[in-house]
Amino acid sequence: MYAILICFIITSFVLFVFGRRFICFFDKNKHYSFFDTFFIGLSLVGTLLNFWSLFFPTNHFSLLFLLLTSIFLFYKESDLYKHYFFEIKNKLTNNKGLLLLILFGLIIILLFSVVSPKLYDTYLYHINAIQWNEKYKVVPGLANLHDRFGFNSSVFILSSGFSFVFIYEQYLFIINSLSYFIFFVWILKSVVELKNINSLFLLLFLYYFTNHYYLDISSPGTDLLPNIFISYLLINALLFEEYLKEKWLLFLVLPLFCITLKLSTLPIIILSLLVVFVKNKNTLFFNSKRFLFFALLFTLPWLIRNVITTGYVLFPVTIIDIFNFDWKVPVENVNILQDWIYSWARIPFKDSKEVLNMGFLEWFRVWWDKLLMINKRLFILAIISPFIYLFYSFFKKDVRKKLIPISIALIIMILWLLTAPDIRFSFSVILFLALSPMLLIPVVVLKFFKIKFLPYILSFYTLFLIYQKAITLFKEDYDIKNFSEYYYLPTDVSIIKEKRNIKYNSKVFNSEKNMINIFEPNPTHSQCFDKFPCSWYIDSNIRLRGEDLGDGFLYIKK
């Protein structure tokens, strides 16, 4: 736990300083909160690491560069930061209840963070993707070796940049857990400050969100972080009206970077487009140019990585097919992968052709029957929610301008979800839609919110429920009586391999000068996270492009 806490502090410092410098450069409005600054800094640093990876491996050297740069920037404007942290200290010391909530929340997050990663895909390809980033700059045709490497989520580049493996000689996957902790604290702070129906909405959101993604907190998975971004944006847009106009930078940066975390979050860009129109209609042309500038800034390095690893601008999408590099993944392979993604999201463990040949009602019935009851209820409420907003806006003209654009954006997101309806992809949207109509209840109806300590009571109760889930998961990995097992470092993921007794074959790749072995687990569907280089299935058509793994891979049909 101690090591993760130290890594939390170092990473937060780097992200906050970069975020603060970026905000000061582009927006004269300095009233961005610590939470805004953290997430903007995370987006900026992720973009910088994407750019760095085009030329160098992303490892301790990139971390050292970021750390030294942030120390320099902090020293250069130390008075500003001292004043900023002094205000935070005063708020916490003057509100002991909030401080206790945050400390309780930190214990919960640390319990979640030290458990071994629980996601299957983490051992299948997440860790391997991080290792490729650490050992090589972006590798041409890497998706030929393993099609999952072509997904190119910025979560992997952030995880490789902040793995701290060179210090602790084991991986600490802190990006998801730290981001979740910051989001967690922001929810608690908002609950205490709002003290109305909004507080109940936020606590319910926090509970169900955690209940859905708690297994992701200790893993470098690609679902949690983009859903944190989406939740943060949607809640701010609805609860804090000034955000869309006064904090336009947040609503440009986060949606654009969110696309690089998970391509399926593309509809969130609608919020960025709303900012372009809402900010100032008289300077629409200027705002459009600004949007284009930020779009290129935050997505171009990631798009270039896509082209290098796969041969496509977006992967696995073949609509934009403008390059013909020798490392390009064959279009038929991309189509097979794309079919697999759509079919798996509808009915997993079933032949993709059979699933895709089903009509909407046919596959939807199967998909619906396999949903958990709570997810069924949330999904029904989510479908109804936008229409409640639209109906309500006709009677409340003062909220019409706000509710109608958000309703339209959310309807589009739901329709997008139905193309590949895996709940984990867009649970934040479903949950937000399902719960947000409660905010339309008149405050006078809920007189019990006038009770002074009610937000604290509800908050501690919610945290207690989440703590029970955390301690149960924690006990699966550790003997709670033996503190020495976890107080410094969590269990190394390599132990998981020993428990599963995975065996490996080795396939030889010959070049003119070298003979390179690549591991393949036996059976081929097993995971190979602790071997490098490794792929769970090595196609006989794959060849090396050059003398080294960093030169990439070709796919040559026999």
Side-chain angles (χ1 to χ4, degrees), residues 66-214:
L66 291 171
L67 184 58
L68 292 177
T69 303
S70 58
I71 292 173
F72 171 76
L73 293 174
F74 182 84
Y75 176 78
K76 188 178 179 182
E77 298 179 335
S78 56
D79 291 337
L80 172 66
Y81 291 106
K82 287 178 182 177
H83 176 73
Y84 196 90
F85 289 117
F86 182 75
E87 287 184 354
I88 295 176
K89 180 182 177 182
N90 280 343
K91 285 183 179 180
L92 292 177
T93 53
N94 294 331
N95 193 336
K96 297 295 195 304
L98 177 59
L99 180 59
L100 288 175
L101 285 172
I102 292 174
L103 291 176
F104 191 12
L106 178 60
I107 293 171
I108 292 171
I109 303 306
L110 288 175
L111 288 174
F112 277 129
S113 300
V114 297
V115 301
S116 57
K118 303 300 181 183
L119 301 182
Y120 180 87
D121 282 354
T122 291
Y123 302 109
L124 180 64
Y125 77 96
H126 292 168
I127 297 176
N128 277 166
I130 293 169
Q131 290 173 323
W132 278 102
N133 290 329
E134 287 180 328
K135 297 179 185 298
Y136 300 95
K137 65 179 182 178
V138 59
V139 177
L142 183 60
N144 285 314
L145 178 64
H146 194 319
D147 52 17
R148 305 306 194 278
F149 293 146
F151 289 166
N152 187 32
S153 172
S154 291
V155 174
F156 301 146
I157 206 75
L158 282 164
S159 297
S160 60
F162 292 93
S163 71
F164 296 94
V165 67
F166 68 99
I167 297 177
Y168 298 108
E169 297 183 347
Q170 71 176 70
Y171 286 97
L172 299 178
F173 306 118
I174 66 161
I175 291 298
N176 277 339
S177 53
L178 174 59
S179 300
Y180 178 74
F181 174 65
I182 298 299
F183 178 69
F184 197 95
V185 172
W186 173 72
I187 291 283
L188 295 176
K189 174 179 175 293
S190 301
V191 167
V192 169
E193 291 179 348
L194 291 172
K195 298 179 181 178
N196 52 32
I197 186 63
N198 297 338
S199 299
L200 181 59
F201 161 74
L202 288 171
L203 287 174
L204 287 172
F205 191 98
L206 179 63
Y207 173 75
Y208 285 113
F209 187 90
T210 304
N211 198 50
H212 189 83
Y213 287 114
Y214 71 98

Side-chain angles (χ1 to χ4, degrees), residues 420-443:
D422 193 323
I423 292 293
R424 64 189 171 91
F425 291 167
S426 301
F427 184 75
S428 55
V429 176
I430 295 171
L431 184 60
F432 178 85
L433 280 167
L435 297 179
S436 55
M438 66 185 296
L439 300 178
L440 304 179
I441 301 174
V443 178

Side-chain angles (χ1 to χ4, degrees), residues 301-503:
W302 173 74
L303 292 173
I304 295 173
R305 278 181 55 88
N306 283 343
V307 173
I308 296 176
T309 56
T310 69
Y312 299 89
V313 177
L314 299 174
F315 184 86
V317 178
T318 57
I319 296 175
I320 307 175
D321 188 0
I322 56 178
F323 298 105
N324 195 29
F325 297 111
D326 62 345
W327 64 75
K328 182 177 179 180
V329 179
V331 66
E332 54 269 27
N333 291 2
V334 182
N335 289 332
I336 292 172
L337 176 61
Q338 192 177 70
D339 290 346
W340 175 86
I341 293 171
Y342 283 117
S343 66
W344 185 274
R346 297 174 184 179
I347 308 175
F349 304 105
K350 199 174 185 68
D351 181 73
S352 61
K353 291 182 179 179
E354 182 180 349
V355 174
L356 296 177
N357 285 331
M358 293 180 177
F360 175 79
L361 292 178
E362 188 179 359
W363 67 255
F364 187 82
R365 288 193 193 99
V366 180
W367 174 80
W368 183 260
D369 289 340
K370 292 185 177 181
L371 279 183
L372 297 175
M373 182 55 67
I374 182 61
N375 289 338
K376 288 181 179 180
R377 293 170 180 171
L378 291 173
F379 190 79
I380 291 172
L381 291 173
I383 294 294
I384 299 172
S385 176
F387 301 101
I388 295 176
Y389 278 139
L390 291 171
F391 180 77
Y392 184 83
S393 65
F394 285 114
F395 297 95
K396 295 287 185 178
K397 294 182 179 180
D398 56 321
V399 297
R400 186 174 300 174
K401 291 182 179 179
K402 181 179 180 180
L403 287 180
I404 290 180
I406 293 177
S407 299
I408 294 172
L410 293 172
I411 290 172
I412 293 173
M413 290 180 184
I414 285 292
L415 293 175
W416 178 274
L417 167 67
L418 289 174
T419 61
D422 193 323
I423 292 293
R424 64 189 171 91
F425 291 167
S426 301
F427 184 75
S428 55
V429 176
I430 295 171
L431 184 60
F432 178 85
L433 280 167
L435 297 179
S436 55
M438 66 185 296
L439 300 178
L440 304 179
I441 301 174
V443 178
V444 292
V445 177
L446 303 168
K447 294 182 180 180
F448 62 86
F449 275 109
K450 294 181 180 180
I451 301 174
K452 184 177 180 181
F453 296 105
L454 184 62
Y456 294 99
I457 296 171
L458 292 176
S459 296
F460 275 110
Y461 179 68
T462 303
L463 292 188
F464 176 72
L465 294 177
I466 297 173
Y467 167 78
Q468 288 183 312
K469 190 169 289 291
I471 197 65
T472 301
L473 195 65
F474 178 82
K475 287 179 179 179
E476 292 179 7
D477 281 6
Y478 300 96
D479 178 3
I480 198 168
K481 296 180 181 179
N482 190 359
F483 188 68
S484 61
E485 284 187 7
Y486 55 84
Y487 84 96
Y488 181 61
L489 276 172
T491 300
D492 192 345
V493 290
S494 63
I495 294 177
I496 306 300
K497 179 256 179 182
E498 296 175 5
K499 292 181 179 179
R500 297 181 183 181
N501 195 28
I502 300 174
K503 306 298 181 182

